[in-house]
Amino acid sequence: MVNFVERLKDPRSMVCGVTAAMADKFEWSCMWTRVVCAVAIFCNPAMGLLVYFVLALVLPKWQKPC
């Protein structure tokens, strides 16, 4: 269980990094952002995955300017 929690806290991408990028953008906890996204996808898989992939397209446009 400890390894699982450590993996959720790690900001490196798990699948395509949408939740990690969103957590970084809004300065949220990476672990809790991933947990909330996982619960949303579990409760309503079709809508959760649709939102997840839309965010994957939109988040690169939200990148912080250097």
Side-chain angles (χ1 to χ4, degrees):
M1 187 67 175
V2 173
N3 291 336
F4 180 70
V5 172
E6 290 301 318
R7 181 67 178 130
L8 286 175
K9 290 180 181 179
D10 190 6
R12 291 177 294 169
S13 71
M14 291 176 121
V15 177
C16 67
V18 172
T19 54
M22 192 165 60
D24 183 52
K25 168 69 178 161
F26 297 108
E27 298 178 2
W28 297 336
S29 166
C30 189
M31 182 184 83
W32 289 111
T33 305
R34 285 180 172 154
V35 168
V36 168
C37 287
V39 168
I41 290 172
F42 179 76
C43 290
N44 189 350
M47 185 59 72
L49 289 174
L50 178 67
V51 169
Y52 189 82
F53 288 119
V54 167
L55 285 174
L57 296 173
V58 171
L59 278 176
K61 296 177 183 168
W62 289 351
Q63 296 297 322
K64 297 177 185 175
C66 295

